[in-house]
Amino acid sequence: MDNIADIYELSPMQQGMLFHTLYAPKSGVYFEQLSCTLQGNLNVLAFKQAWQEVVARHAILRTSFYWEEVDKPLQVVRLDVDIPWEEHDWLDLTLSEQQQRLEGFLLTDREQGFQLDQAPLIRFTLIKVRNDTYQFVWSYHHLLMDGWCMYIIFKEVLAFYEARQKAHPLYLKAPFPFGNYILWLQQQNLSQAETFWRQTLQGFTNPTSLLTIGDQSNQSETCDRQHFQLSETVSATLQSLVQEQNLTLNTLVQGSWALLLSRYSRESDVVFGITVSGRPPTLLGVESMVGLFINTLPLRVQISATDELLPWLQQLQVQQVELQQYSYSPLVEIQGWSDVPRGRALFESIVVFENYPIDATLQEQSAGLDISNVRTFEKTNYPLTVIAVPGQELSVEMAYDSSYFDACTIRRMLGHFQTLLEGIASHPQQLLGDLPWLTERERDQLLVEWNNTEKEYPSQKCIHELFEAQVQLTPDAVALVFEDTQLTYHELNRRGNKVAEYLLRLGVKPEVLVGLCVERSVWMVVGLLGILKAGGAYVPLDPNYPQQRLSYMLEDSQVSVLLTQQSLRDRLPNQEQVVCLDTNWQRIDTESGENLVSGACPDNLAYVIYTSGSTGKPKGVLVSHQAICNHMFWMQTSFPMMQTDKVLQKTPFSFDASVWEFYAPLLVGAQLVMARPGGHQDSAYTIEAIAKYQITTLQLVPSLLRMLLSEGLENCKSLHRVFCGGEALPVELVERFNSKLDAELYNLYGPTETTIDATFFSCKGGNSQQIISIGKPIGNTKIYILDKQLQPVPVGVEGELYIGGAGLARGYLKKANLSA
């Protein structure tokens, strides 16, 4: 018991910090580090002695922690300790060498950490860089104290230093020990707190999620920071606003973060963490105590787009006043009182409002020293910490774990936060739903840059005209392969022209729908091209569909002509004009075979594909030539295809994913290889076909990809690009693919209304990367896939989201009260 002054339990916040520190000992979590430049005639001995006196005054600075072989963790206060103090002389180094060495020292110091059972959990380093200039580094563990204590400590250190400089005695009133606060905590009524928190969090079951990346098990130092500062004018306007409305700037910052979380998560009910001072006004001497008083608590905020901003903020402030009454509540207990399942955190982000700027404190209490370049380092166990610092220029910093977030995502978040605060300053009398958050650059990108596609995509061509242009370039190249049949581009074009001329005689023209019900074969491709070349739009009818579904689709679409095969004729209802491509070919073959001028233009329909009908009856989705041409050019830009490529067409043509399989190779001189009927359901045949035809590009559903990987897909060396869609693509399947094949893997998804694809993931190198943001619209049609606030999809990592489909765009425009 030698040298022990006191022993007591930990506060709930200390318990949490101790757990996270022990759980990830190499992570650097809750290691605190302050560095600054001291310039002037520094009395080094007096400076060190001043620190020693302050450590002697405050029990918490002489405290260590014990958790083994005890029922509860304990903190032990030593009677006295020697402060760890190092001095270095870098006068022989250049300025750049000093800076480089300082950065290395700061990192090494953080990596060193602390032995929590050995007091004191603080250390100091003084580095001489010029005769009158020093770098000072103070490191400590957050278990000891919170940020407000730095104000108290530095004020006392500089006071003691100045007294020693002047050889005057300094007598300060003895501070109350931190143990008094621990005793106060033990006297609080947790049952009342439990009732409050259960009511507050009732019905909240899923934590508000932020899009993250990477491996969150990484324990290395991965904390990065970015920040912005508002102008003096905007900062002053916000300060005046909150004063006029009897609000606090803290409430304004918290409300702004709640709005962003709501827009990122698409939830109207969000929860994030806030820090409270935790210093109970009824505790004697609490204002001068040094210790860990802050607490992190959940703040639940409900957002309605129709709420007015200022009354909403006032209600939020009332909510926080009530919350303050239970600020002593342990977060771990609150977690248990909530409806969020055990093992899941209540929140992923916290907001810290620092109303104790340490650099200003140092300047005020400088004791004859010029103190500058104040830098602090802190790493919490939360993926994202939002730190607001008031002043002439309100500063907002985001400290983030880079194994969760990339720098681009944080940069975008900061831009949104700044735009939102500036919008509040300029127009506070707004509805929540009307507050801006996109930066000027993003708005310009969404409304101007990504709508200016005339130069990128030829908007005056139909899909069959692009095919005809390719025929002129590669007339003798093999265009189509089906089993033992091969057609060159010239031969395929002539057959399509013959069908088109035949259909023209039957009244087919632009906007006329033609049904196509054939097995996968040469007839399928010839029929598709023939319909398009006649100016019509095809309606794919899968012969494997039930007769009732086929009848419904034919009745609903009111096709004027039906192309089919004789073997399927009996499965189809009676139609006025039915053409069997196989048995009627002798008559069709008498047509000239020359290219036609049908009068079709890019705005005319190219096809009508019926949805699955999972939410009711199947619905026909109308897609124009312009939309499909736009998609084809995007595909070629994003995934360039060469004339040497070979694409296996195996997706049933009643699914829109089949569309690019048909046209992508035929627009660049590559080969389209048709799988046999039913081949898409036979994994052994698929592998055989890939090997036989030396397929380079393949589209699969993930379930089939899994089977193919089990049956030897890695032996198909010709494959260099695989697309997946239609189902969720598990990460483990991506990793398995990448371990077996040296090929590109992409996951594509999109409702039929968006013209095949709306998003894609690049899964190269085993790292599945989501690509989310608004992308290219159709030709020169202005498309706003946005809501009333020009709100895009949730913020993710950098990339591209392609949106197509004029019909869908019009729907969004109508919903958002916008016009093109």
Side-chain angles (χ1 to χ4, degrees), residues 276-492:
V276 293
S277 68
R279 292 178 182 261
T282 57
L283 180 60
L284 183 64
V286 71
E287 67 280 353
S288 62
M289 283 187 193
V290 173
L292 185 66
F293 293 90
I294 63 166
N295 197 9
T296 301
L297 301 172
L299 179 63
R300 184 178 186 180
V301 184
Q302 294 180 330
I303 298 100
S304 171
T306 58
D307 284 344
E308 294 181 4
L309 170 66
L310 295 177
W312 178 77
L313 286 174
Q314 288 163 350
Q315 180 57 43
L316 180 61
Q317 184 153 300
V318 170
Q319 179 182 338
Q320 292 188 56
V321 170
E322 186 178 12
L323 178 149
Q324 290 285 348
Q325 301 176 46
Y326 306 97
S327 62
Y328 58 83
S329 307
L331 183 57
V332 65
E333 296 291 346
I334 299 173
Q335 168 80 42
W337 298 330
S338 75
D339 294 332
V340 174
R342 286 282 185 178
R344 297 192 67 186
L346 271 172
F347 42 81
E348 294 181 354
S349 63
I350 63 172
V351 175
V352 179
F353 189 81
E354 289 190 350
N355 53 359
Y356 44 85
I358 188 63
D359 51 348
T361 300
L362 293 178
Q363 292 294 340
E364 293 170 4
Q365 308 289 333
S366 62
L369 296 173
D370 181 14
I371 304 174
S372 60
N373 300 324
V374 180
R375 296 166 57 190
T376 58
F377 174 88
E378 176 183 8
K379 181 180 179 182
T380 72
N381 62 293
Y382 298 101
L384 181 63
T385 302
V386 181
I387 306 164
V389 182
Q392 283 190 325
E393 296 180 341
L394 175 65
S395 171
V396 175
E397 181 178 67
M398 288 188 180
Y400 61 98
D401 190 330
S402 56
S403 65
Y404 282 72
F405 299 97
D406 65 7
C408 292
T409 299
I410 298 299
R411 192 178 306 119
R412 241 185 345 263
M413 285 183 176
L414 285 169
H416 296 159
F417 209 155
Q418 182 172 354
T419 302
L420 184 57
L421 289 172
E422 291 172 344
I424 291 173
S426 59
H427 298 290
Q429 307 292 338
Q430 290 192 72
L431 301 180
L432 298 184
D434 292 335
L435 287 167
W437 65 302
L438 296 181
T439 65
E440 285 300 319
R441 170 73 182 105
E442 288 173 324
R443 290 173 64 89
D444 181 75
Q445 193 173 45
L446 289 169
L447 301 180
V448 179
E449 179 182 333
W450 282 337
N451 284 308
N452 183 22
T453 61
E454 292 92 337
K455 295 181 181 179
E456 294 187 54
Y457 303 115
S459 57
Q460 302 305 315
K461 295 288 185 181
C462 294
I463 193 70
H464 60 276
E465 292 174 328
L466 296 177
F467 168 70
E468 291 169 356
Q470 184 59 46
V471 172
Q472 296 297 314
L473 297 174
T474 55
D476 299 322
V478 175
L480 179 64
V481 176
F482 175 67
E483 296 185 336
D484 296 330
T485 302
Q486 290 189 359
L487 294 180
T488 66
Y489 273 81
H490 173 71
E491 292 168 337
L492 178 59

Side-chain angles (χ1 to χ4, degrees), residues 375-626:
R375 296 166 57 190
T376 58
F377 174 88
E378 176 183 8
K379 181 180 179 182
T380 72
N381 62 293
Y382 298 101
L384 181 63
T385 302
V386 181
I387 306 164
V389 182
Q392 283 190 325
E393 296 180 341
L394 175 65
S395 171
V396 175
E397 181 178 67
M398 288 188 180
Y400 61 98
D401 190 330
S402 56
S403 65
Y404 282 72
F405 299 97
D406 65 7
C408 292
T409 299
I410 298 299
R411 192 178 306 119
R412 241 185 345 263
M413 285 183 176
L414 285 169
H416 296 159
F417 209 155
Q418 182 172 354
T419 302
L420 184 57
L421 289 172
E422 291 172 344
I424 291 173
S426 59
H427 298 290
Q429 307 292 338
Q430 290 192 72
L431 301 180
L432 298 184
D434 292 335
L435 287 167
W437 65 302
L438 296 181
T439 65
E440 285 300 319
R441 170 73 182 105
E442 288 173 324
R443 290 173 64 89
D444 181 75
Q445 193 173 45
L446 289 169
L447 301 180
V448 179
E449 179 182 333
W450 282 337
N451 284 308
N452 183 22
T453 61
E454 292 92 337
K455 295 181 181 179
E456 294 187 54
Y457 303 115
S459 57
Q460 302 305 315
K461 295 288 185 181
C462 294
I463 193 70
H464 60 276
E465 292 174 328
L466 296 177
F467 168 70
E468 291 169 356
Q470 184 59 46
V471 172
Q472 296 297 314
L473 297 174
T474 55
D476 299 322
V478 175
L480 179 64
V481 176
F482 175 67
E483 296 185 336
D484 296 330
T485 302
Q486 290 189 359
L487 294 180
T488 66
Y489 273 81
H490 173 71
E491 292 168 337
L492 178 59
N493 188 53
R494 282 187 61 81
R495 291 199 186 189
N497 288 337
K498 290 175 181 289
V499 171
E501 196 167 349
Y502 190 81
L503 291 175
L504 284 172
R505 300 181 190 280
L506 298 179
V508 176
K509 58 184 180 181
E511 298 298 308
V512 170
L513 302 187
V514 179
L516 183 63
C517 184
V518 293
E519 297 279 4
R520 188 182 293 109
S521 61
V522 170
W523 297 120
M524 180 176 285
V525 183
V526 170
L528 291 174
L529 288 174
I531 295 169
L532 294 172
K533 284 169 171 283
Y538 65 89
V539 181
L541 303 163
D542 192 329
N544 294 311
Y545 278 169
Q547 286 186 320
Q548 183 179 3
R549 180 180 173 95
L550 292 172
S551 297
Y552 167 78
M553 292 165 66
L554 284 168
E555 180 181 356
D556 184 67
S557 62
Q558 293 292 298
V559 300
S560 65
V561 180
L562 174 60
L563 298 185
T564 185
Q565 295 168 272
Q566 186 62 44
S567 59
L568 304 174
R569 184 67 185 86
D570 293 340
R571 301 197 60 221
L572 299 168
N574 291 326
Q575 295 289 120
E576 288 188 13
Q577 297 190 97
V578 178
V579 179
C580 293
L581 289 170
D582 47 1
T583 57
N584 286 89
W585 184 251
Q586 187 173 1
R587 168 66 187 87
I588 297 171
D589 196 31
T590 62
E591 303 291 351
S592 69
E594 299 299 322
N595 287 342
L596 307 173
V597 178
S598 65
C601 66
D603 288 335
N604 290 135
L605 291 178
Y607 62 81
V608 177
I609 284 184
Y610 277 78
T611 61
S612 62
S614 57
T615 58
K617 289 185 177 182
K619 302 175 183 63
V621 177
L622 289 70
V623 177
S624 67
H625 282 270
Q626 192 178 47

